[in-house]
Amino acid sequence: MKTTKTKRSDQKLGVALVGLGRYAGGQLAPALQQTKHCRLAAVVSGSPGKREKWQQQYGLNTDSLYGYGDFADIAQNKSVDIVYVVLPNAMHAEYVIKAARAGKHVICEKPMATTLDDCRPMIDACKKAGVHLGIGYRLHYDPYNLKMMLMAEEQSFGRVTQVYADDSMLFEKPEWRLDAKLAGGGPLMNNGIYCIQAAIYVMHDLPISVTARFLKDETGMAKTVEAGIEWELEFPDSRLATCVSTYNHEGDILRAEGTNGWFKLEPAYEYKGLHGETSEGEFDYPTISQQAAQMDDFALTVRKNIPSIVPGEMGMRDVEIIMAIYESAIENRRVLLSLDAYRGHAMTV
């Protein structure tokens, strides 16, 4: 596709963070101090106090501070090449489209959107503007998860026949992720999407059906979203991935059973501290910043004008699977999946 080219090919690309919540402040901003190919260039927030705090902390110019009302002005800021949308899920579509119209390449935090109908306009807006779109799937840059992908692809322990994935957490106090209007759903949207991703890249295939059921709220925290959900993804040749994501307990495991052994991560989805084990022994890697690796790779995607390994089509695929999981749990039936249209876009890894 035709893309917008930076005029500063010998410098780091500028990243604007849209939404200055816990993830932006605790993970992305620190990661941008470690990146080799991009840097923090601007911030967008509805809070003047937050903007001032970030300006002081990261030495930003006053003309690199934006509110949501003047976000469109970022189009004139030549120091910004990439916009990273880190807003609540329900706002992703609006600001990805606005960023594309401003001529900026876009990273959209997961999940891509809260409805399938929102995904295609996001992809189309970026294509029309000639900008790249990537989804914030940090685990595609994590050495432990990359090792799981490689062992699955090479069939190091035979063909994978079963997968078990649990990504769950407990909340200490209410926040936007417990608000259906902002989050679009509960743990399935927030954590379970990592289980979906893991099942696909460890099976190295796309699922053909899903069967799901909701779990009871054991904490009283989930008022407008599901408290927990279990689902089973069926893959070709009757291979199964059993997954769970809940706000009722802490869970962090990915285990694959092959015809000649097994391999797993526990923890599997954290920012650091991951640990790998197989039926033949353990494996470990030095700690890296997943977010720095993710943003650097996207910056190189922009520089080289090559497809992202985590494209918008992958995000749309996962939203389609999420909607099918909800449908199955609500209607108490097996739901068929037809995902062949997504093949060819880094769809199985």
Side-chain angles (χ1 to χ4, degrees):
M1 71 178 175
K2 182 180 179 181
T3 59
T4 303
K5 297 180 180 179
T6 177
K7 296 180 179 179
R8 307 184 316 282
S9 60
D10 59 336
Q11 299 178 13
K12 293 183 176 183
L13 300 188
V15 176
L17 296 179
V18 184
L20 305 182
R22 186 169 67 238
Y23 189 61
Q27 300 300 326
L28 296 179
L32 282 164
Q33 310 312 301
Q34 304 177 44
T35 43
K36 298 177 181 179
H37 304 291
C38 53
R39 62 181 180 84
L40 180 62
V43 295
V44 183
S45 173
S47 167
K50 280 188 179 181
R51 296 197 297 266
E52 182 178 350
K53 179 181 177 181
W54 280 64
Q55 179 184 21
Q56 295 174 355
Q57 184 172 357
Y58 294 105
L60 298 170
N61 296 324
T62 301
D63 59 4
S64 292
L65 309 177
Y66 297 89
Y68 299 122
D70 62 353
F71 175 75
D73 293 345
I74 207 167
Q76 282 73 53
N77 190 334
K78 297 187 181 301
S79 70
V80 173
D81 303 284
I82 299 165
V83 165
Y84 196 143
V85 178
V86 208
L87 294 162
N89 305 338
M91 302 173 71
H92 288 181
E94 177 184 357
Y95 279 88
V96 165
I97 292 170
K98 286 182 175 180
R101 289 173 178 169
K104 308 301 181 182
H105 304 282
V106 194
I107 303 174
C108 177
E109 190 48 46
K110 60 79 187 170
M112 182 177 180
T114 56
T115 71
L116 190 58
D117 287 343
D118 279 341
C119 295
R120 177 53 62 186
M122 296 164 73
I123 294 170
D124 289 346
C126 290
K127 288 182 177 179
K128 182 178 181 180
V131 299
H132 288 280
L133 171 62
I135 308 301
Y137 288 141
R138 57 185 170 80
L139 295 180
H140 281 259
Y141 307 92
D142 169 74
Y144 289 90
N145 281 270
L146 287 170
K147 179 66 172 178
M148 295 290 283
M149 297 176 199
L150 183 63
M151 288 189 292
E153 182 179 7
E154 296 184 343
Q155 298 191 11
S156 302
F157 297 92
R159 193 182 190 202
V160 175
T161 58
Q162 295 183 60
V163 168
Y164 177 73
D166 180 357
D167 190 1
S168 300
M169 65 186 295
L170 290 166
F171 281 107
E172 295 181 356
K173 58 183 180 180
E175 62 164 78
W176 68 262
R177 290 174 180 83
L178 294 166
D179 183 342
K181 291 183 179 180
L182 293 175
L188 179 57
M189 285 276 187
N190 188 39
N191 303 76
I193 193 168
Y194 284 126
C195 298
I196 294 168
Q197 280 260 306
I200 290 172
Y201 58 63
V202 171
M203 284 294 193
H204 206 67
D205 209 341
L206 296 177
I208 59 176
S209 73
V210 61
T211 305
R213 71 180 185 94
F214 291 119
L215 302 176
K216 293 181 179 179
D217 184 1
E218 298 176 6
T219 67
M221 294 285 287
K223 304 296 186 182
T224 64
V225 299
E226 81 276 4
I229 190 166
E230 291 180 338
W231 68 99
E232 190 172 76
L233 292 171
E234 180 186 356
F235 288 80
D237 300 322
S238 300
R239 296 177 298 144
L240 298 175
T242 301
C243 306
V244 60
S245 188
T246 174
Y247 290 155
N248 292 329
H249 70 248
E250 297 282 355
D252 202 329
I253 185 172
L254 170 61
R255 181 182 174 105
E257 302 285 345
T259 53
N260 298 319
W262 56 267
F263 49 106
K264 74 170 185 175
L265 295 179
E266 189 176 11
Y269 315 103
E270 296 293 327
Y271 303 139
K272 58 183 179 180
L274 277 63
H275 178 71
E277 187 177 355
T278 77
S279 49
E280 296 180 354
E282 299 179 345
F283 61 93
D284 281 296
Y285 294 98
T287 298
I288 69 161
S289 167
Q290 300 165 350
Q291 292 82 1
Q294 169 199 332
M295 290 186 285
D296 267 342
D297 185 79
F298 189 75
L300 290 175
T301 289
V302 171
R303 282 204 186 284
K304 297 178 181 180
N305 191 22
I306 58 177
S308 170
I309 66 170
V310 286
E313 288 83 358
M314 179 183 281
M316 184 174 176
R317 175 204 72 188
D318 293 345
V319 171
E320 183 163 342
I321 295 171
I322 286 172
M323 295 302 118
I325 293 171
Y326 281 136
E327 181 182 351
S328 175
I330 291 169
E331 300 184 3
N332 191 29
R333 66 179 180 88
R334 177 173 176 255
V335 173
L336 297 178
L337 294 164
S338 180
L339 304 173
D340 286 343
Y342 296 109
R343 294 186 188 274
H345 294 279
M347 286 297 101
T348 57
V349 295

